[in-house]
Amino acid sequence: MPLIILIAILAALRFFEVWRFAQLSWWWIVGLMVLAFVWFEFIEGLLGLDKRKAHDVDRKRREDRVRQRFDKRK
């Protein structure tokens, strides 16, 4: 997510020609976009980061369900 925010900020600064970003080549921004695409489509899946996030959500939901179930019996 920080990479996406960086891309958006750099694109806005370049578009509005702010300070030194006016001379920044669009190829740097496009390169960061390609890097973000490759990261989210391929590398994150290869490292299992997408599954880890899903497992964390499932674990939290399961823990909440167990906690609610035992709190009602008291």
Side-chain angles (χ1 to χ4, degrees):
M1 189 65 179
L3 184 59
I4 302 299
I5 294 169
L6 176 68
I7 291 169
I9 291 170
L10 283 176
L13 289 172
R14 174 61 179 98
F15 181 76
F16 293 113
E17 297 181 355
V18 176
W19 194 48
R20 293 187 181 193
F21 297 101
Q23 287 85 26
L24 181 68
S25 174
W26 281 106
W27 286 109
W28 285 103
I29 298 170
V30 171
L32 285 175
M33 289 178 185
V34 169
L35 177 68
F37 175 78
V38 169
W39 173 263
F40 288 114
E41 288 297 319
F42 302 110
I43 297 174
E44 192 175 53
L46 289 174
L47 297 176
L49 297 177
D50 54 343
K51 300 293 181 185
R52 185 179 308 155
K53 291 175 188 174
H55 287 299
D56 289 343
V57 170
D58 288 341
R59 181 182 47 80
K60 173 128 177 60
R61 190 173 53 219
R62 189 177 325 114
E63 289 172 356
D64 290 342
R65 189 174 59 237
V66 169
R67 189 177 308 112
Q68 287 175 352
R69 180 74 173 171
F70 286 118
D71 286 345
K72 287 182 180 179
R73 291 186 179 184
K74 289 184 178 180

